Amino acid sequence: MPGEFDFIEAYLSERQTLRQDVQLALGDDCAIVCPPQNARIALSTDTLVGGSHFLLSAPPEWVAHKALASNLSDLAAMGARPAWMSLALTLPELDESWLRPFFDAFFALADDYGIQLIGGDTTKGPLSISLTVQGFVPQDTALLRSGAQVGDRIYVTGKLGDRKAGLDVILDPSLRSKPFASELEKRHFLSTPRVDFAQSLLGIASAAIDISDGLLADLQHILSRSQVGARIDVSQLPYSNEMAAFVGNQVTARQYALTSGEEYELCFTVPVQYASYVERELAGETELHCIGQIAPQGELVLHDAGHAVDWALSGYDHFKASK
Amino acid sequence: MPGEFDFIEAYLSERQTLRQDVQLALGDDCAIVCPPQNARIALSTDTLVGGSHFLLSAPPEWVAHKALASNLSDLAAMGARPAWMSLALTLPELDESWLRPFFDAFFALADDYGIQLIGGDTTKGPLSISLTVQGFVPQDTALLRSGAQVGDRIYVTGKLGDRKAGLDVILDPSLRSKPFASELEKRHFLSTPRVDFAQSLLGIASAAIDISDGLLADLQHILSRSQVGARIDVSQLPYSNEMAAFVGNQVTARQYALTSGEEYELCFTVPVQYASYVERELAGETELHCIGQIAPQGELVLHDAGHAVDWALSGYDHFKASK
């Protein structure tokens, strides 16, 4: 679709903040970039398929935000500073009334994080947005999933569960009459990736992941890669008053906090000796909650301030609650 | 599609050649790679949409080859050495009988070029294959589209036109009875990107591009970025005996050579003082043909050994033959 690409290229060329380390962006066979000396490059790819990851009727500015935020969140999970990205955009047609708000929101968010679009491909087909983002981590300090040790404290940023409640509204419009339904629908798309906060975890956190599949599912990735278990106190799970009012009871609110995906908050582990530093120095600007501790491998316990809970939470690979 | 991703990740982990500069590949939020000191990174993204860029009935091993070759060809066009790639794969279903030959061919070609898959995303939806490839170019020696000067000679590698003839067969099965139809259909998918040869052009060629849209259309990109024109001698266009037999006459064969896309041969320009070096030293291992010269801006002439030709070749943006 040459016409479409021309439009997009012309539109892009006037919209972006330009980085010093980009020698050549759009317009040749490849982009050329100049990484800093001794940097490690972190790279992640995420695809959103129209009709699957978002309804085709979703506002394009929300879709753009979600596509970029999900990728930035992967960089945040490694403690990487965003730098460059390439966009593979498949469109059923040239619809400027969709593309303009899409790109406006896309570049507004990109500028907030200092990331430049350097390449991509535009093709004709079913709507799909695939981004590959890159960023820098200093040598040997990236936040991995694999460093958690028994005894480490487990923290999460922000509040969890709004995105699952928002998805309920999207999938069942009859829920729009429930409290805060419109606000939760909007929040489903407009998560804030924790890029800046993640920088302060470098050298402090023993493991980290962003919450994209749901806290329990993502924590399982840390446990699996670190070969450890965990004890989670569900009474410490942070969630919003709006989500609690929407779902109507505490147990459901806690279960939403445990299983809500696409939150783009961070879950990270901290050795006990750094815990007071984290709670004293880092919890001021960013909301943090300690939700449990790392336990020996094979143990995954959910408890309510010490009392056993026995919830059937299905749909997550490998998840088996034990007591 | 977690099950699918598990299959793919397990399959991938045992298939790949591992590079020393990949610190972390699949399995965390991001991959981490270590670029060499002072290198520039070249990056390109290409998407193939099922049903649009290839028929859904095409052999998966051919589709894999085409997807990777088109991206490697972009690296070749810059003189870059392939290093890493990420794959955004959207699949309608988990079909191992499709995925196994796809990945077998994909990694066979990847290994030939020393490129490692470091990241990606697998989603459920209409079949689509989007690759982002990266490679290294030494500082300030990348082959660009913008360096052609009046008087430079214009070369192409290999033979041109087979892919268009192959596409004819794909789109119209009644042509299968024509000479070499099956062979040309296969060649449509199985181009060889000129990665190694491109290395020998660094510091020699003034401009380069890979032939993905068709020689005339791609040459136009060089002319536009370099602000020059060109004189092309159609009698010098290289094409295969098989394609000539398939199309049945010389004029059509030459027109196919001018307009056939997805060739993944290189078109490059060389200052006159390097021309004898190119023809003496480089033309031995790789088939090269001089097809014309760079002319002043605004001039684009097709001639047949000095005699005017007046072909209406439609479908290419900006292309207007002048005399």
Side-chain angles (χ1 to χ4, degrees):
Chain A
M1 37 176 44
E4 204 143 335
F5 189 77
D6 287 350
F7 158 73
I8 291 169
E9 196 171 340
Y11 187 75
L12 298 189
S13 64
E14 59 190 50
R15 297 303 302 220
Q16 300 205 79
T17 303
L18 304 179
R19 292 175 58 95
Q20 292 285 328
D21 54 17
V22 176
Q23 185 177 329
L24 184 67
L26 310 164
D28 211 304
D29 294 294
C30 293
I32 297 183
V33 292
C34 315
Q37 296 295 321
N38 298 319
R40 297 288 179 259
I41 296 177
L43 172 149
S44 180
T45 297
D46 257 342
T47 303
L48 297 188
V49 178
S52 172
H53 295 93
F54 58 91
L55 295 184
L56 294 172
S57 58
E61 59 272 27
W62 292 4
V63 174
H65 187 106
K66 182 172 175 171
L68 182 48
S70 70
N71 278 276
L72 290 171
S73 183
D74 284 320
L75 290 179
M78 306 294 280
R81 289 186 185 278
W84 319 303
M85 58 181 164
S86 61
L87 171 65
L89 187 60
T90 301
L91 299 164
E93 60 184 344
L94 172 60
D95 178 358
E96 291 194 24
S97 71
W98 192 92
L99 284 169
R100 286 196 182 277
F102 177 87
F103 280 125
D104 283 343
F106 187 81
F107 287 112
L109 187 62
D111 282 352
D112 286 346
Y113 290 89
I115 189 166
Q116 183 177 341
L117 185 73
I118 58 170
D121 194 11
T122 311
T123 48
K124 191 172 169 65
L127 183 60
S128 171
I129 303 151
S130 188
L131 266 174
T132 295
V133 295
Q134 299 190 73
F136 309 132
V137 279
Q139 248 173 321
D140 302 324
T141 61
L143 302 170
L144 306 182
R145 297 177 177 178
S146 53
Q149 301 275 342
V150 175
D152 288 358
R153 300 217 179 148
I154 304 170
Y155 291 87
V156 293
T157 57
K159 293 184 167 69
L160 303 174
D162 283 359
R163 278 76 204 179
K164 184 171 170 64
L167 185 62
D168 289 349
V169 179
I170 292 165
L171 297 178
D172 181 359
S174 75
L175 300 177
R176 286 182 194 282
S177 57
K178 295 187 80 174
F180 304 106
S182 298
E183 174 62 22
L184 291 164
E185 181 184 8
K186 184 177 173 183
R187 287 184 194 173
H188 175 79
F189 287 94
L190 302 183
S191 307
T192 300
R194 296 289 188 177
V195 169
D196 291 332
F197 174 74
Q199 293 292 313
S200 58
L201 295 179
L202 292 169
I204 302 292
S206 52
I209 195 168
D210 69 311
I211 301 175
S212 54
D213 296 334
L215 172 59
L216 260 184
D218 290 311
L219 177 62
Q220 285 282 297
H221 292 306
I222 287 182
L223 303 185
S224 166
R225 297 280 288 192
S226 301
Q227 300 186 291
V228 293
R231 295 178 61 85
I232 302 297
D233 182 350
V234 298
S235 74
Q236 299 303 307
L237 291 167
Y239 52 81
S240 70
N241 294 332
E242 293 82 355
M243 189 272 277
F246 176 85
V247 301
N249 69 81
Q250 187 189 62
V251 168
T252 305
R254 288 173 173 179
Q255 291 180 342
Y256 271 46
L258 276 173
T259 58
S260 178
E262 298 167 347
E263 294 285 329
Y264 306 133
E265 298 293 348
L266 296 179
C267 172
F268 60 97
T269 61
V270 172
V272 171
Q273 65 267 32
Y274 294 150
S276 63
Y277 169 81
V278 167
E279 293 180 13
R280 195 179 62 238
E281 300 294 329
L282 302 185
E285 294 187 13
T286 301
E287 182 177 348
L288 291 182
H289 294 270
C290 179
I291 58 164
Q293 296 81 38
I294 294 296
Q297 189 169 16
E299 187 179 336
L300 177 57
V301 179
L302 299 183
H303 64 90
D304 178 358
H307 303 282
V309 296
D310 188 11
W311 294 341
L313 297 166
S314 63
Y316 292 89
D317 276 6
H318 317 299
F319 174 68
K320 289 194 185 70
S322 57
K323 284 191 234 167
Chain B
M1 41 176 38
E4 204 141 334
F5 189 77
D6 286 350
F7 159 73
I8 292 169
E9 194 171 341
Y11 188 74
L12 298 189
S13 64
E14 59 191 51
R15 297 304 302 221
Q16 302 205 76
T17 302
L18 303 180
R19 291 175 59 95
Q20 292 285 329
D21 55 17
V22 177
Q23 186 177 327
L24 183 67
L26 310 165
D28 211 303
D29 294 293
C30 294
I32 296 183
V33 293
C34 314
Q37 297 296 320
N38 298 319
R40 296 290 180 257
I41 297 177
L43 171 148
S44 181
T45 297
D46 258 342
T47 303
L48 298 188
V49 179
S52 172
H53 295 93
F54 58 90
L55 294 184
L56 294 171
S57 58
E61 59 272 27
W62 291 3
V63 174
H65 187 106
K66 182 172 176 172
L68 182 48
S70 70
N71 277 277
L72 291 171
S73 183
D74 284 319
L75 290 179
M78 306 295 280
R81 289 187 185 279
W84 318 303
M85 59 182 164
S86 61
L87 171 65
L89 187 59
T90 301
L91 299 164
E93 59 183 345
L94 172 61
D95 178 359
E96 291 194 24
S97 71
W98 193 91
L99 283 170
R100 286 195 182 277
F102 176 88
F103 279 124
D104 282 344
F106 187 82
F107 287 112
L109 187 62
D111 282 353
D112 286 347
Y113 290 88
I115 190 167
Q116 183 177 340
L117 184 73
I118 59 170
D121 193 14
T122 311
T123 48
K124 188 170 169 68
L127 183 59
S128 171
I129 303 152
S130 188
L131 266 175
T132 295
V133 295
Q134 299 189 73
F136 309 132
V137 280
Q139 247 172 324
D140 302 323
T141 61
L143 301 171
L144 305 181
R145 298 177 177 180
S146 53
Q149 303 273 342
V150 175
D152 288 358
R153 299 216 179 148
I154 304 169
Y155 291 87
V156 293
T157 58
K159 293 184 169 68
L160 302 174
D162 282 0
R163 277 77 204 180
K164 184 171 170 64
L167 184 62
D168 289 349
V169 179
I170 292 166
L171 296 178
D172 181 359
S174 76
L175 301 176
R176 287 183 192 282
S177 58
K178 296 187 79 173
F180 303 107
S182 297
E183 173 63 21
L184 291 164
E185 181 184 7
K186 184 176 174 184
R187 287 185 195 173
H188 173 79
F189 288 93
L190 303 183
S191 308
T192 300
R194 295 289 189 177
V195 170
D196 291 334
F197 173 74
Q199 293 292 314
S200 58
L201 295 179
L202 292 170
I204 301 293
S206 51
I209 196 167
D210 68 311
I211 300 175
S212 54
D213 296 333
L215 172 60
L216 260 184
D218 290 311
L219 178 61
Q220 285 282 296
H221 292 305
I222 287 182
L223 303 185
S224 166
R225 298 279 288 192
S226 301
Q227 301 186 291
V228 293
R231 295 179 61 84
I232 302 297
D233 183 350
V234 299
S235 75
Q236 298 304 306
L237 291 168
Y239 52 81
S240 70
N241 294 331
E242 293 82 355
M243 189 272 278
F246 176 84
V247 300
N249 69 80
Q250 186 189 62
V251 168
T252 304
R254 289 174 172 180
Q255 292 180 342
Y256 270 47
L258 276 174
T259 59
S260 178
E262 299 167 345
E263 293 287 328
Y264 306 132
E265 298 292 349
L266 295 180
C267 172
F268 59 97
T269 61
V270 172
V272 171
Q273 65 266 32
Y274 294 150
S276 63
Y277 169 82
V278 166
E279 294 181 11
R280 195 179 63 240
E281 300 295 330
L282 303 184
E285 294 188 11
T286 301
E287 183 177 349
L288 291 183
H289 295 269
C290 179
I291 59 164
Q293 296 80 39
I294 294 295
Q297 188 169 16
E299 188 178 335
L300 178 56
V301 179
L302 300 182
H303 65 91
D304 179 358
H307 303 282
V309 297
D310 187 12
W311 293 341
L313 296 165
S314 62
Y316 291 91
D317 279 4
H318 318 299
F319 173 66
K320 289 192 186 69
S322 56
K323 283 191 236 169

